[in-house]
Amino acid sequence: MAEVTIYINGRSYDISCDNGQEGRIVDLAAYIDQRLQQVSRSGAAYNDAHLTVLTALVLADELFETREQLNAIPRAPRGAVAAPAAASVAVNKEEEAAVLKVLEQITKRIEGVASRVAQA
């Protein structure tokens, strides 16, 4: 098990991940931070917890939109799918699971920070 430090919204988070996945986690965190900063600049959020929820909704919307686009692509009859396409779908599901796992970890940590801030 490896550990990597990511930075989101000016805060650092130590994240455990599988060996070799450190770069991927850093890239995911950078993307999340980029989207969070975009939401922040819009002025829609009134505190960090709200900003986190809005950003999670934006990311979930992107994920759902991508799924809808993938589902709209005509598929070959069952069993006739070429091996490269099947491999691509498997990788996409693995990537999706990894993204969701990181988002869950980050959300838990941010909720903890938000709770401590609210109590201070």
Side-chain angles (χ1 to χ4, degrees):
M1 203 60 138
E3 190 167 291
V4 63
T5 300
I6 60 171
Y7 300 90
I8 297 177
N9 201 24
R11 295 186 181 112
S12 65
Y13 301 93
D14 295 324
I15 303 293
S16 295
C17 62
D18 291 334
N19 291 329
Q21 293 296 310
E22 299 90 342
R24 179 75 174 170
I25 300 300
V26 169
D27 290 345
L28 292 170
Y31 182 74
I32 292 168
D33 188 53
Q34 174 190 24
R35 298 302 281 146
L36 186 135
Q37 297 307 320
Q38 290 172 340
V39 172
S40 178
R41 284 191 299 274
S42 76
Y46 51 85
N47 62 33
D48 280 349
H50 192 233
L51 176 60
T52 302
V53 169
L54 291 176
T55 302
L57 288 171
V58 167
L59 294 172
D61 183 54
E62 289 177 5
L63 178 63
F64 276 52
E65 188 172 305
T66 301
R67 281 182 182 168
E68 289 168 1
Q69 291 171 354
L70 285 173
N71 288 335
I73 296 172
R75 300 189 192 277
R78 191 175 194 117
V81 176
S88 175
V89 170
V91 169
N92 288 337
K93 288 184 180 191
E94 289 175 10
E95 289 176 359
E96 182 180 316
V99 169
L100 290 174
K101 182 177 178 180
V102 169
L103 282 173
E104 288 172 3
Q105 290 174 341
I106 291 170
T107 299
K108 287 178 184 175
R109 288 181 181 220
I110 291 173
E111 287 172 349
V113 169
S115 175
R116 288 191 299 273
V117 167
Q119 293 173 356

